[in-house]
Amino acid sequence: MKTEIQELVTLFDQNKGEGGGSMKWLFRPLLQMLTKGEPVTVEDIATTTGKPLDEVKDILSTLSSVELDEQGRVVGFGLTLIPTPHRFEVDEKQLYAWCALDTLMFPELIGHMVHIESPCYSTGKPIRLTVEPDRVLSLEPTTAVVSIVTPDDTSSVRSSFCNEVHFFSTESAAQNWLNQHPNGKVYPVKEAFELGRLLGKRYEESGPTNESCCDI
């Protein structure tokens, strides 16, 4: 299984995806700012990352999946203030994630324990997890799995990937989804967590930051 997960990571690395190299300095600080539970201004991003304001504006304009409010502030990019089925509670703040894998990848990137609740995509049965940066602390039901696809094009990561990555209460509950997605697979939550951690390492080189701005 570890070899299979590493192969998945390699496939994702070969496809730079939405945002390309800018995610090295943008993604992690942006997640950390969103955990405050408030919209993030372009000025805040520039200050936190040490990047020129115009460069931040240019990068945001290229992100087809980024969620902005009427004032042009970021309200979601993977982690979001806009409700989705994937509830993501950090420091008693209720946030949401675009997909099941996001909920497993983000705790390490933000450096905090997270409480997650998401319905089984097939049965609607609630799946509850507590995830620390380095491990899945609790999982109910323990049989839960995560669906994974490997899109050829991730220029819009939400539509090509996130919209097909769900929690299922059991592998058998995912059978209809598997029938409809012959190239898709499901993984036990702990295996999906390991995949998320490996994918998250792509964002470790996030550049200079002002820690006081991101201290959560």
Side-chain angles (χ1 to χ4, degrees):
M1 184 66 76
K2 287 186 177 180
T3 301
E4 188 171 314
I5 285 179
Q6 188 58 58
E7 289 174 354
L8 276 172
V9 173
T10 300
L11 285 173
F12 279 101
D13 283 343
Q14 291 171 350
N15 189 333
K16 296 303 181 182
E18 190 170 348
S22 66
M23 293 297 99
K24 288 285 187 179
W25 57 263
L26 174 63
F27 192 54
R28 191 173 193 173
L30 181 55
L31 289 180
Q32 292 174 334
M33 286 185 279
L34 284 167
T35 59
K36 295 180 181 180
E38 299 177 355
V40 178
T41 67
V42 176
E43 290 79 9
D44 286 340
I45 297 172
T47 299
T48 299
T49 61
K51 295 291 183 177
L53 186 63
D54 287 343
E55 182 175 351
V56 174
K57 290 179 178 179
D58 288 344
I59 291 299
L60 290 179
S61 70
T62 69
L63 302 179
S64 59
S65 299
V66 71
E67 296 173 309
L68 305 174
D69 66 10
E70 293 180 353
Q71 287 75 46
R73 300 174 299 180
V74 177
V75 294
F77 193 66
L79 189 62
T80 180
L81 310 183
I82 300 172
T84 76
H86 310 289
R87 298 169 63 87
F88 187 96
E89 182 183 319
V90 54
D91 286 347
E92 299 184 349
K93 294 182 177 66
Q94 183 60 67
L95 302 165
Y96 303 87
W98 284 353
C99 72
L101 190 63
D102 284 347
T103 68
L104 301 172
M105 180 171 69
F106 292 167
E108 183 172 34
L109 289 173
I110 65 174
H112 279 256
M113 181 175 71
V114 173
H115 300 289
I116 299 156
E117 182 174 330
S118 182
C120 169
Y121 189 69
S122 174
T123 67
K125 179 179 180 179
I127 296 166
R128 299 183 178 91
L129 311 82
T130 298
V131 180
E132 293 185 333
D134 62 347
R135 61 175 175 159
V136 177
L137 190 63
S138 66
L139 171 63
E140 180 186 350
T142 58
T143 53
V145 298
V146 176
S147 61
I148 299 292
V149 293
T150 51
D152 294 328
D153 179 14
T154 55
S155 58
S156 177
V157 66
R158 191 170 191 178
S159 60
S160 64
F161 179 72
C162 292
N163 288 348
E164 295 297 345
V165 180
H166 315 289
F167 283 108
F168 292 89
S169 57
T170 64
E171 186 171 349
S172 61
Q175 192 56 55
N176 285 341
W177 182 91
L178 287 168
N179 292 341
Q180 296 169 17
H181 301 82
N183 295 324
K185 293 190 176 183
V186 295
Y187 294 91
V189 165
K190 290 187 177 180
E191 297 287 350
F193 173 75
E194 181 62 23
L195 171 61
R197 287 190 70 193
L198 290 171
L199 290 175
K201 292 185 182 300
R202 298 182 300 171
Y203 309 114
E204 288 182 347
E205 300 171 15
S206 47
T209 62
N210 181 341
E211 292 184 0
S212 63
C213 291
C214 297
D215 185 12
I216 56 173

